[in-house]
Amino acid sequence: MSYLERWWRDATPKMREAFAKLVRDGQLEIVSGGWVMNDEANSHYFAIIEQMMEGNMWLNDTIGVIPKNSWSIDPFGYSSTMAYLLRRMGFHNMLIQRTHYEVKKELAMKKNLEYLWRQNWDIEETTDIFVHMMPFYSYDIPHTCGPEPAICCQFDFARMRGFSYESCPWRSDPVEINPDNVEERATTLLDQYRKKSTLYRTNTLLIPLGDDFRYVSMEEAEVQFRNYEKLFDYINSNPHLNAEVKFGTLEDYFSTLRDEAEKINYSRPGELGSAELQGFPTLSGDFFTYADRNQDYWSGYYVSRPFFKAVDRVLEQTLRAAEILGSFVLGYCQKFQCAKLPISFSHKLTAARRNLALFQHHDGVTGTAKDHVVVDYGTRMHTSLQDLQLFMSRAVEVLLGDFHDRSDPTLLSHFESVQERSKYDVQLVHKVLHPLEGKAQSVVFFNPLEQTRDEIVMVVVSSPDVSVLNSNGSCLPSQLSPEWQFVSDENISTGRHRLYWRAYVPPLGLETYYVVTGQDCEKAIPAAVKTYTTEQEFSCPQPYDCSKLEAKTVEMKNSNYTLSFDTSRGLLQTVTRHKDGQQTVIGEEIGMYKSHGSGAYLFKPVGDARSIVEEGGHFILTEGPLVQEAHSLPKTEWRKSPLSHSTRIYNCGDAIQDMLIEKEYHVELVGHAFNDRELIVRYKTDIDNQRIFYSDLNGFQMSKRQTYDKIPLQGNYYPMPSLAFLQDSHGNRFSVHSKQSLGAASLKNGWLEIMLDRRLVQDDGRGLGQGVMDNKPMNVIFHLLTESNVSALPKTHSLHTLQPSILSHRVGAHLNYPMHAFMSKKPHEKSFKRAQQSFAPLTASLPCDIHIVNLKVPRPLRFPHTESAEPKFAVLLQRRGWDASYCKRGGLQCTTVGEEPVNLFYMFKDLSAVNVKATSLNLLHDDPEMLGYLEQTGDVAQEGDVLISPMEILAYKLDLQPPSSQEE
């Protein structure tokens, strides 16, 4: 729809009406109707829902149609998450093309290229969606009429002279159909159709006719139509040929096929069928990793342009936070002046939704676009991030202010975002607070999660003489640590300091803290610094105490873990859990592949990765009461090392942060020294996982991955959008949560490796026409977790993949939905107080396995027009599936899990939810039965109770009203 919207903008009213009529009459069908045809390996489910919603709603608002069938011919492998989301958006049929050539062959042999795709957790059979998989190498005309491209190409009439398309590489070109050749040409074409039809069960056959950048002129459309019309007329007027051929849409194909399948049962003996459509097999799982020929596995794009894969997720979580804050501003302000803020921002909000949606394209988040297109994607995302941060800082001011205030909310500018990015291709950096003697600088945190947050927060300050106060003015314990560079200059310290303290922020709420100087209150405690270096003298930053590390191995500990490091290489060796004394070997290693033939899409390593860290370099341990950090600037064969890294553990009492180990890798694969190199981190653990690991699909569900010797190394790499874990038969589990999409593999027993960046000189011949040389310095953040199960593994249904524990889900949520911090632009008097110091919109934390995917006002511009009967807000709720053999409360203060219903009417403290109705995930269908949900979802309007089955996402439309407006 991103293209159609551009066309529509410039089209005359007459053209628009003609177009809309063709669509409404069914002569032209819009398939999928997403903003783009999204990638399925690197895209997060939030962004997939967003891009489908954006396209589908624009289309419905513009010409009043809702797509029924999905068409996805170009993404490089397919995820079962997409099948689930489409089904819950009201789609019943989908078409896919790029799957491994061996998979196509296997399915074709058994006539299983058309099947019902079912989610692997689905026992009730409510997720089935009908799939047509195209059988051949490509979606172009030579590969769609039948099995012989040399013959099919002769029926691509736009390749005749006079058009700009290349002639057929098989040396036989198409010729105009005339009375003399029509019989021979028609029977030749029909022979291809018959051969193709033997791969499918029914007598209804689909022949796509098109390619990239086609139908650009009337002449081209005319030459295809004119020639095919003659062929069809001949075939249809000769009954002995036993065939009928006609032009049609995808809907024509699926409805004809469904009619036929209802009359004739095509089921095979012993086949598990589906109530959705009889006669076809059911299949569960995903289609990664894709290979189109030989050993060409498309696992490179899981990692290509990792800098922008990270920006994608920052934009996603910022957009979600802004939607939630905007919803609260509208909910509380309604007709007051402050409602003007989100309404006036709605054009930029739409642009942000669309810029995130656009990047989900299968050449966007994949990292497979040309350099100048990457710049455009990056600039769009950057602009939207700036806009959203400005909006959020104003929204924070409104929510902490007086809703009855008559001043113009669009002029507010007391706060600014603590993190900023100066241009589209650099990392986010923290603004530095410069506290003035006797003044206070306020810092406000927004918690975008649905549970109370208790975590150590950090700001950067210029001077060490600081203290932290909470909103009542009480002093809080705080810690000061030096801020280190990620590159080894003469001076490793930046001269600035990181100030840490423990913050409590209500769910979806705000809380204020004050950074002050010269206060009669406990000052931030400086951390102790210990260093190892073989090079020059280490200059100790003020006001810290520095000492030397002498031992070969050094330990760092908090209340949960003891970590041990190899001092001279700066690598993490083991983790010991205090509660059970369980030691896990982590065996961190930094390695580099050399490759030949790798490009943006393909990964083609030459041999195995080689370890690059040598003895020497700098290793700095910083230990304080709240945070311990090991900072490593390793020595490598290159003068400028491609990587440096930090390991952090936290002391936050018994919060989530205490349970995780934070790894931050600073990657700079910049310069020709790293040409045709691919950089990895590898954890060589002692977990006996038998080379099986689990990685997520789109941040939504887990998929089991097994390493096979029969396929090359690159074929054993899989997408890792946010999580991968290894496990042994005793339930010992090692998990890596990621803040961005990357690729992962378990090539040897106990090993988990993750690729961090790749720099490739050559094009790999899949259409990009260039290498990938535009690498940026960037930080990759992982949260590591070691867990042991507390009860035996359940003997589950064989399709069930292992699930993360509740703790693991929450660690992932903390990493992917970090708190947003805002600070006062100028220091203010200590006595100055805002109308409110905190904002707590929820009645209570939600159950630990319930996640608010989004809370938004889909069309803010319509908000003031009260006459619309349609509810103005939408909420999407998800219940995460978790592994019950791990600690049920996740070792946390999880009071509840979602076995009890959540009540929408009472979820918000000061806002009532009214006019609640269940809807589809694209907000366009209000009949829950049609979406495959079990009955319970429809009854919300009466009681407000929502009971969600594990793994489901439910959407509701509703209105939020403050108590005062109900009397009006």
Side-chain angles (χ1 to χ4, degrees), residues 394-693:
R394 288 177 177 162
V396 164
E397 204 165 340
V398 167
L399 293 170
L400 293 178
D402 174 359
F403 299 126
H404 300 254
D405 188 344
R406 300 245 178 268
S407 57
D408 183 345
T410 59
L411 303 176
L412 294 170
S413 62
H414 186 83
F415 287 113
E416 57 185 353
S417 180
V418 168
Q419 289 193 306
E420 65 174 347
R421 168 185 270 128
S422 54
K423 53 199 264 283
Y424 82 96
D425 62 349
V426 298
Q427 291 281 129
L428 273 170
V429 292
H430 281 259
K431 291 194 180 114
V432 183
L433 276 70
H434 303 282
L436 299 175
E437 186 73 35
K439 297 267 178 110
Q441 192 138 25
S442 46
V443 180
V444 176
F445 291 97
F446 171 57
N447 169 15
L449 287 182
E450 44 293 294
Q451 286 90 23
T452 302
R453 204 128 170 182
D454 169 10
E455 69 183 63
I456 310 274
V457 293
M458 187 273 288
V459 294
V460 176
V461 292
S462 54
S463 82
D465 175 20
V466 286
S467 311
V468 178
L469 309 178
N470 67 12
S471 54
N472 334 332
S474 317
C475 301
L476 295 177
S478 57
Q479 173 184 331
L480 204 64
S481 292
E483 183 183 58
W484 305 119
Q485 312 251 27
F486 274 114
V487 283
S488 45
D489 285 343
E490 302 310 295
N491 207 349
I492 298 173
S493 157
T494 64
R496 297 186 293 264
H497 311 272
R498 291 184 158 192
L499 173 64
Y500 294 99
W501 73 93
R502 182 175 180 176
Y504 291 88
V505 189
L508 303 187
L510 301 167
E511 188 61 55
T512 308
Y513 292 88
Y514 299 98
V515 176
V516 295
T517 184
Q519 185 78 356
D520 46 357
C521 163
E522 52 184 306
K523 278 197 194 140
I525 300 168
V529 177
K530 299 174 185 168
T531 64
Y532 163 88
T533 174
T534 50
E535 322 224 328
Q536 72 279 21
E537 276 306 292
F538 173 79
S539 62
C540 184
Q542 292 297 340
Y544 303 95
D545 256 344
C546 299
S547 57
K548 285 203 151 105
L549 286 172
E550 307 288 359
K552 267 187 139 47
T553 61
V554 59
E555 291 187 344
M556 175 168 94
K557 59 179 69 160
N558 68 0
S559 57
N560 269 307
Y561 292 120
T562 297
L563 277 55
S564 79
F565 295 86
D566 166 350
T567 319
S568 66
R569 288 189 173 81
L571 296 168
L572 176 59
Q573 289 180 318
T574 65
V575 171
T576 308
R577 260 203 319 268
H578 299 162
K579 67 166 194 259
D580 53 7
Q582 170 85 33
Q583 186 185 70
T584 306
V585 173
I586 303 293
E588 180 182 28
E589 177 179 81
I590 311 296
M592 194 84 91
Y593 283 102
K594 277 189 182 170
S595 52
H596 181 71
S598 278
Y601 308 90
L602 306 181
F603 174 33
K604 301 195 86 173
V606 177
D608 196 11
R610 195 171 53 82
S611 173
I612 61 169
V613 177
E614 301 168 2
E615 291 198 5
H618 296 280
F619 183 66
I620 309 169
L621 209 57
T622 322
E623 295 177 304
L626 299 174
V627 184
Q628 280 73 256
E629 175 178 44
H631 187 66
S632 173
L633 299 168
K635 182 173 187 306
T636 63
E637 66 186 74
W638 297 277
R639 195 182 61 77
K640 192 162 178 286
S641 172
L643 178 138
S644 53
H645 56 107
S646 289
T647 311
R648 297 182 198 98
I649 48 177
Y650 296 88
N651 281 322
C652 191
D654 50 1
I656 289 175
Q657 247 177 337
D658 288 43
M659 316 259 187
L660 59 87
I661 298 158
E662 183 168 285
K663 281 292 326 185
E664 181 168 15
Y665 295 95
H666 178 79
V667 179
E668 288 199 35
L669 217 52
V670 177
H672 296 304
F674 303 115
N675 285 357
D676 291 320
R677 296 284 196 283
E678 317 200 27
L679 179 71
I680 62 159
V681 57
R682 184 182 278 163
Y683 302 109
K684 296 161 107 165
T685 76
D686 57 354
I687 291 174
D688 179 16
N689 71 322
Q690 304 287 316
R691 297 200 300 172
I692 291 169
F693 75 109

Side-chain angles (χ1 to χ4, degrees), residues 717-905:
Y717 250 80
Y718 290 95
M720 176 186 161
S722 70
L723 171 63
F725 62 77
L726 307 176
Q727 181 165 324
D728 64 19
S729 56
H730 308 295
N732 294 309
R733 186 181 284 191
F734 170 67
S735 310
V736 180
H737 287 270
S738 171
K739 214 177 156 84
Q740 66 174 88
S741 296
L742 294 166
S746 177
L747 301 177
K748 293 200 173 152
N749 193 25
W751 287 16
L752 179 62
E753 73 179 60
I754 298 156
M755 192 178 287
L756 299 174
D757 200 0
R758 45 207 311 266
R759 182 180 180 88
L760 308 155
V761 181
Q762 305 294 321
D763 176 60
D764 52 7
R766 293 306 187 278
L768 179 58
Q770 59 158 78
V772 178
M773 307 275 284
D774 54 355
N775 307 66
K776 315 279 179 224
M778 57 155 205
N779 297 352
V780 175
I781 300 182
F782 295 150
H783 280 175
L784 315 184
L785 205 52
T786 68
E787 297 175 280
S788 301
N789 62 358
V790 290
S791 62
L793 279 178
K795 293 275 180 284
T796 47
H797 178 256
S798 64
L799 282 172
H800 267 271
T801 183
L802 294 181
Q803 299 272 29
S805 64
I806 283 221
L807 172 63
S808 185
H809 277 304
R810 299 209 49 205
V811 166
H814 273 234
L815 181 60
N816 278 285
Y817 298 103
M819 293 219 270
H820 292 261
F822 304 89
M823 65 187 200
S824 51
K825 287 187 184 169
K826 298 188 190 71
H828 47 74
E829 295 308 322
K830 286 207 208 76
S831 55
F832 169 76
K833 289 274 187 274
R834 218 160 264 100
Q836 273 111 11
Q837 311 294 308
S838 57
F839 167 70
L842 296 192
T843 321
S845 281
L846 290 188
C848 283
D849 53 358
I850 301 283
H851 171 54
I852 295 177
V853 178
N854 210 351
L855 168 64
K856 66 193 287 191
V857 176
R859 302 180 178 92
L861 282 177
R862 295 189 188 176
F863 193 85
H865 311 300
T866 37
E867 60 281 1
S868 88
E870 193 63 4
K872 299 187 177 79
F873 295 80
V875 64
L876 277 72
L877 298 171
Q878 177 196 9
R879 183 165 172 209
R880 298 198 164 105
W882 44 274
D883 189 324
S885 67
Y886 287 80
C887 184
K888 197 155 183 177
R889 306 218 174 283
L892 306 164
Q893 276 39 58
C894 266
T895 42
T896 55
V897 290
E899 281 146 13
E900 298 295 308
V902 173
N903 194 293
L904 277 184
F905 293 176

Side-chain angles (χ1 to χ4, degrees), residues 257-276:
L257 176 136
R258 280 172 173 269
D259 288 347
E260 184 189 338
E262 293 198 344
K263 297 187 188 84
I264 306 167
N265 188 354
Y266 287 104
S267 297
R268 298 286 171 91
E271 187 168 80
L272 277 176
S274 164
E276 167 67 21

Side-chain angles (χ1 to χ4, degrees), residues 14 70 105 167 207 246 336 374 409 460 474 630 644 687 767 857 876 901 915 952:
K14 202 171 156 192
S70 169
K105 187 164 119 189
S167 55
I207 308 291
K246 58 185 177 193
F336 295 125
V374 172
V460 176
S474 317
S644 53
I687 291 174
V857 176
L876 277 72
N915 305 333
E952 289 283 9

Side-chain angles (χ1 to χ4, degrees), residues 48-275:
I48 299 175
I49 294 173
E50 194 60 36
Q51 81 85 15
M52 288 297 296
M53 200 184 275
E54 195 55 42
N56 285 191
M57 290 184 87
W58 176 82
L59 185 62
N60 194 38
D61 290 347
T62 308
I63 54 177
V65 296
I66 304 173
K68 289 193 200 163
N69 305 299
S70 169
W71 167 269
S72 182
I73 54 173
D74 212 20
F76 331 130
Y78 295 91
S79 165
S80 43
T81 304
M82 196 71 198
Y84 171 78
L85 296 175
L86 288 168
R87 182 72 188 83
R88 295 292 185 251
M89 286 177 184
F91 288 80
H92 286 273
N93 307 299
M94 57 190 289
L95 176 146
I96 62 177
Q97 150 63 19
R98 288 188 184 268
T99 56
H100 196 302
Y101 58 89
E102 287 290 350
V103 170
K104 287 184 187 260
K105 187 164 119 189
E106 170 68 20
L107 292 174
M109 305 270 274
K110 301 193 166 80
K111 294 195 181 189
N112 288 345
L113 286 163
E114 289 182 320
Y115 57 87
L116 287 121
W117 204 343
R118 178 176 297 168
Q119 299 306 311
N120 62 16
W121 70 81
D122 176 20
I123 302 151
E124 313 281 349
E125 305 183 11
T126 68
T127 59
D128 296 5
I129 183 168
F130 183 70
V131 183
H132 171 93
M133 185 188 292
M134 291 165 63
F136 304 128
Y137 169 74
S138 167
Y139 51 70
D140 61 8
I141 297 173
H143 296 92
T144 48
C145 95
E148 294 165 84
I151 294 172
C152 292
C153 197
Q154 298 166 31
F155 295 89
D156 183 357
F157 296 101
R159 292 184 192 239
M160 293 198 293
R161 284 203 192 95
F163 296 100
S164 59
Y165 305 109
E166 57 181 284
S167 55
C168 292
W170 298 274
R171 307 278 174 82
S172 297
D173 287 324
V175 291
E176 185 76 33
I177 303 297
N178 59 43
D180 296 335
N181 68 8
V182 68
E183 179 181 4
E184 182 274 327
R185 295 279 77 196
T187 49
T188 301
L189 181 61
L190 192 56
D191 177 59
Q192 290 298 303
Y193 290 176
R194 283 200 202 288
K195 287 172 175 159
K196 180 174 179 178
S197 75
T198 63
L199 306 178
Y200 294 93
R201 298 185 180 195
T202 71
N203 289 309
T204 308
L205 183 67
L206 176 68
I207 308 291
L209 185 76
D211 201 345
D212 294 357
F213 313 120
R214 287 301 187 97
Y215 302 113
V216 295
S217 67
M218 286 300 288
E219 295 72 31
E220 181 192 346
E222 172 59 32
V223 76
Q224 298 282 27
F225 180 78
R226 176 177 75 228
N227 284 287
Y228 271 97
E229 194 173 40
K230 291 172 191 164
L231 292 165
F232 291 178
D233 286 348
Y234 179 84
I235 292 169
N236 294 342
S237 58
N238 280 285
H240 73 275
L241 293 177
N242 235 356
E244 181 196 357
V245 200
K246 58 185 177 193
F247 294 106
T249 59
L250 196 58
E251 171 61 25
D252 291 334
Y253 171 70
F254 283 125
S255 59
T256 307
L257 176 136
R258 280 172 173 269
D259 288 347
E260 184 189 338
E262 293 198 344
K263 297 187 188 84
I264 306 167
N265 188 354
Y266 287 104
S267 297
R268 298 286 171 91
E271 187 168 80
L272 277 176
S274 164

